[in-house]
Amino acid sequence: MYAQMIKSTGEGVKSLDEMEPQERAFQERINAGGKIEPKDWMPDGYRKNLIRQIGQHAHSEIVGQLPEGNWITRAPTLERKAILLAKVQDEAGHGLYLYCAAETLGVTRDQLTRDLLSGKMKYSSIFNYPTLTWADMGAVGWLVDGAAIMNQVPLQRTSYGPYARAMVRICKEESFHQRQGYDIMMKMAKGTKAQKKMAQDALNRFWGPALMMFGPSDENSVHSAQSMAWKIKMNSNDELRQKFVDECVPQAEYLGLTVPDPDLKWNEERGHYDFTQPDWDEFFDVLRGNGPCNKERLAARNKAWDDGAWVRDGLMAHAAKKRAAKLAAE
Amino acid sequence: MTNPTQEWPLFEIFIRGQHGLSHRHVGSLHAPDAEMAIKNARDVYTRRNEGVSIWVVQASDIAASSPEEKGSLYEPANDKVYRHPTFFDIPEEVGAM
């Protein structure tokens, strides 16, 4: 998802009987649907995992601005441009809500930024793919934001209070993102032959990477089991991916576009679509830094941070000067 | 990457919604000073008409109770059920009260 491949620090899930009283009380509270708040006691592993997960999620929102920011100046109409600008601004906001949530766990904003810029912390693999045409804005909103919603809606019930509250805000805004994407796709798919071809091409390129967003199958993963016991992961990757496919196929049909999977078929018995797994070798390669845009994305973030240094410093100096003048006047 | 000099302080943000309710905590953000915190809060927390008034407080200025105090702070209220109106039975013939 926006946070892929989070390895928990726990060694498998302990039973309540194996836990010390403090940890047992903590787990029982989570089991009962209670929320954990910043000042409450929590196991180290829970804290570390959440910092990684929320941090990666925040980084994804921030880096996720780049592929779409690429088209702001070239949007086909002024209205489309204003809408895209608002959408990209929302992504910045989502990043900020999430950084705030991560900071309540004791990590600083600058530390998170440093870890993103140095490549130590990851962001979602999806943002390492290029956006080549205007139709990609449609595919990104429809599929990428659509996949994000699949994951984020259940996370509104996650056990960590600040994370859950950030998710509530994000989900409220995310539905606009998906619909604006689908709106672009409708326009293109019902447009000229060339426009429809662009829409189909965008779907072809983003389908696989969108399926990868949910991460590899985690059926037998001890890490996932621990995260699920802690309720910082609410569904298995396969479960969410299936739900996503089931929802997208009729939407693609409405557009008159073809999902690029020759083996895609409704399975009456399961009540779900059968579909082909994405190319997992490609996924791991992108995570290792070898996707089409990894270098470009990190370079853009580093440049923004470096070029903005004088603004950050200048505003701090100005604030200090004003404080001093106010003190002198008292 | 340059070495960051100094991190902007953290501000907690409170917004009053449209309908005459109290200011409510909505989240936090970093800003060099209170004035900028209000400007940034406008962009981060009120993009969809969520509020008509913003308060910002530097996070380090907030004093908070700790979870361990839960017992001593809130338990005394448990044996004072007479503070709730439903404690008193009012006969039906008296009417609404």
Side-chain angles (χ1 to χ4, degrees):
Chain A
M1 202 56 274
Y2 273 17
Q4 293 156 326
M5 303 294 291
I6 299 289
K7 299 234 189 289
S8 76
T9 44
E11 314 238 305
V13 185
K14 273 192 245 174
S15 72
L16 284 176
D17 294 333
E18 293 168 295
M19 292 176 186
E20 300 293 320
Q22 204 168 30
E23 187 173 355
R24 192 187 161 124
F26 168 88
Q27 187 63 51
E28 279 171 342
R29 193 151 136 215
I30 290 179
N31 294 350
K35 294 277 182 247
I36 308 301
E37 294 297 338
K39 290 173 101 183
D40 294 334
W41 181 87
M42 60 187 87
D44 266 355
Y46 179 84
R47 183 185 299 277
K48 280 188 195 144
N49 255 45
L50 268 178
I51 290 176
R52 264 187 264 172
Q53 182 175 330
I54 303 173
Q56 202 181 107
H57 196 157
H59 295 329
S60 299
E61 302 282 356
I62 297 299
V63 177
Q65 295 179 96
L66 297 171
E68 289 178 295
N70 180 36
W71 280 91
I72 290 173
T73 56
R74 288 174 287 159
T77 67
L78 192 54
E79 187 187 51
R80 293 278 180 202
K81 183 184 187 134
I83 292 171
L84 185 59
L85 199 57
K87 198 232 172 208
V88 172
Q89 191 193 19
D90 272 355
E91 305 298 359
H94 296 180
L96 292 179
Y97 308 155
L98 287 160
Y99 281 131
C100 290
E103 284 178 272
T104 63
L105 291 158
V107 64
T108 66
R109 173 74 59 87
D110 279 359
Q111 185 60 49
L112 288 167
T113 306
R114 275 196 293 275
D115 288 348
L116 167 67
L117 298 183
S118 70
K120 189 179 161 207
M121 280 181 92
K122 302 290 177 207
Y123 53 88
S124 175
S125 58
I126 191 77
F127 301 118
N128 290 313
Y129 291 87
T131 44
L132 303 177
T133 73
W134 174 252
D136 288 11
M137 297 301 95
V140 167
W142 171 36
L143 299 173
V144 176
D145 289 273
I149 291 172
M150 282 289 156
N151 182 54
Q152 288 168 342
V153 166
L155 279 176
Q156 293 179 98
R157 291 178 285 111
T158 189
S159 63
Y160 189 56
Y163 191 25
R165 291 191 285 273
M167 278 303 140
V168 171
R169 293 190 68 87
I170 290 176
C171 286
K172 261 191 210 160
E173 300 177 352
E174 203 78 70
S175 147
F176 145 55
H177 297 177
Q178 190 186 17
R179 292 172 78 139
Q180 69 87 32
Y182 196 70
D183 186 63
I184 293 174
M185 290 306 265
M186 283 196 294
K187 198 86 182 171
M188 302 283 288
K190 308 223 179 309
T192 64
K193 246 189 185 158
Q195 286 170 327
K196 184 169 183 184
K197 208 174 145 204
M198 274 166 83
Q200 181 63 54
D201 172 61
L203 172 58
N204 292 351
R205 281 181 289 110
F206 277 95
W207 179 253
L211 294 184
M212 293 176 203
M213 286 177 68
F214 298 94
S217 179
D218 56 356
E219 249 172 69
N220 304 311
S221 157
V222 282
H223 302 298
S224 289
Q226 178 61 77
S227 289
M228 283 172 112
W230 280 334
K231 293 197 186 163
I232 57 181
K233 183 181 173 81
M234 311 299 284
N235 308 81
S236 82
N237 296 348
D238 289 325
E239 205 180 321
L240 290 173
R241 188 170 13 251
Q242 180 71 62
K243 208 170 159 221
F244 176 71
V245 172
D246 290 347
E247 222 168 75
C248 282
V249 173
Q251 292 166 351
E253 279 167 7
Y254 178 82
L255 294 172
L257 300 179
T258 311
V259 173
D261 178 354
D263 296 325
L264 184 84
K265 209 171 85 231
W266 177 253
N267 184 325
E268 193 67 52
E269 210 174 299
R270 292 201 308 127
H272 292 291
Y273 283 95
D274 291 335
F275 63 97
T276 310
Q277 288 290 313
D279 181 349
W280 291 115
D281 291 336
E282 177 185 314
F283 170 77
F284 287 111
D285 208 35
V286 172
L287 278 200
R288 274 192 296 269
N290 302 323
C293 298
N294 294 57
K295 288 193 182 69
E296 191 185 324
R297 301 291 186 236
L298 260 196
R301 288 315 307 153
N302 272 287
K303 184 175 183 313
W305 179 252
D306 290 346
D307 290 354
W310 70 272
V311 180
R312 294 192 299 277
D313 290 347
L315 285 172
M316 274 303 262
H318 179 66
K321 209 165 111 185
K322 267 201 318 192
R323 249 195 323 276
K326 200 178 158 207
L327 270 179
E330 273 169 11
Chain B
M1 190 178 96
T2 55
N3 276 326
T5 42
Q6 202 187 348
E7 189 172 273
W8 285 353
L10 188 68
F11 286 84
E12 298 297 333
I13 312 300
F14 301 80
I15 307 265
R16 172 161 48 221
Q18 310 265 8
H19 307 292
L21 300 173
S22 320
H23 284 78
R24 195 168 151 230
H25 182 245
V26 292
S28 56
L29 54 77
H30 290 269
D33 57 22
E35 198 187 323
M36 283 300 295
I38 290 177
K39 291 200 166 97
N40 291 349
R42 182 244 160 261
D43 285 339
V44 179
Y45 292 107
T46 66
R47 287 194 302 282
R48 288 173 177 78
N49 287 322
E50 286 93 337
V52 293
S53 166
I54 302 175
W55 285 353
V56 303
V57 184
Q58 204 164 319
S60 57
D61 288 337
I62 291 182
S65 65
S66 76
E68 293 83 61
E69 293 171 283
K70 206 171 137 199
S72 60
L73 285 178
Y74 312 118
E75 267 164 28
N78 288 345
D79 57 7
K80 298 179 181 61
V81 284
Y82 43 80
R83 284 195 160 130
H84 296 283
T86 46
F87 178 78
F88 305 94
D89 287 326
I90 303 292
E92 229 169 84
E93 47 266 47
V94 178
M97 182 181 283

